[in-house]
Amino acid sequence: MRIAVAADSLDGVAATVVTELRERGHEVIAHGALNDSERDDWAWASAAAARDVAEGRAEQAVVCCWTGTGAAIAANKVRGVRAALCADGYTADGARRWNDANVLALSLRVVSEPLLKEILDAWFAGTASTDPADVANVAHLEA
C-alpha cells in the first residue's frame, strides 16, 4: 500500500514511522521534515499528505506533529479525508471501524516506539464497519 507520511520535525517517532511502514511492506511518500525539498510546517506537510490520499496518490496517510492535533486539523481540511488523532490501539481500531478513517494523526511527544507499533497494528487490522448507522455517518461527512 502507498502511504503518505508527514512530520513537522524529526522529533520522537517521526523517522520510525517511515521505517516501520517500510518494514511492513508499504511504499512511503514523505512530506515535511521527512523530505528535504518541502516546507516542514505542520499545516503544509499534513495537508500535502492528505492531498495524496484525496487525489489517489496514496491509499492512506500518517501525519505527525508535536501534539498530533494540528496535523489532524490540517488533514481534515482536505475534502475526502477523515483524519483521526490516535494515542492507543483501541482508538486506532475504532477510528478505522466506525469512522472509516483514512489518515492517522500521531503525537510526536507522547507516542513511543512500542506504542507506535501497537497503534499501527490496530490501524492496519481495522476495517470499516458495514453497520448501516456507521455507513450513514461516514456518508454524511462526505456530503
Side-chain angles (χ1 to χ4, degrees):
M1 177 183 320
R2 275 176 293 137
I3 301 176
V5 180
D8 65 346
S9 73
L10 296 178
D11 293 308
V13 295
T16 306
V17 170
V18 173
T19 301
E20 185 66 27
L21 291 172
R22 287 183 175 145
E23 286 177 359
R24 291 171 184 241
H26 301 292
E27 177 186 340
V28 173
I29 304 168
H31 292 288
L34 301 167
N35 183 330
D36 292 337
S37 67
E38 290 187 4
R39 187 171 180 160
D40 62 1
D41 301 274
W42 58 266
W44 281 264
S46 298
R51 281 193 305 276
D52 282 344
V53 173
E55 296 170 8
R57 290 183 295 276
E59 288 79 18
Q60 295 182 8
V62 179
V63 296
C64 310
C65 69
W66 192 242
T67 65
T69 306
I73 291 169
N76 277 319
K77 292 290 186 177
V78 177
R79 185 170 181 78
V81 167
R82 292 173 304 284
L85 175 58
C86 299
D88 57 67
Y90 182 80
T91 305
D93 176 68
R96 295 284 295 133
R97 181 179 312 160
W98 300 306
N99 312 123
D100 193 16
N102 52 10
V103 174
L104 170 62
L106 298 172
S107 167
L108 294 174
R109 185 182 76 80
V110 300
V111 174
S112 64
E113 287 188 26
L115 183 56
L116 171 66
K117 291 178 183 185
E118 291 175 15
I119 292 169
L120 292 176
D121 287 345
W123 181 265
F124 290 120
T127 58
S129 169
T130 58
D131 179 274
D134 296 331
V135 171
N137 277 306
V138 172
H140 178 71
L141 293 175
E142 291 300 316

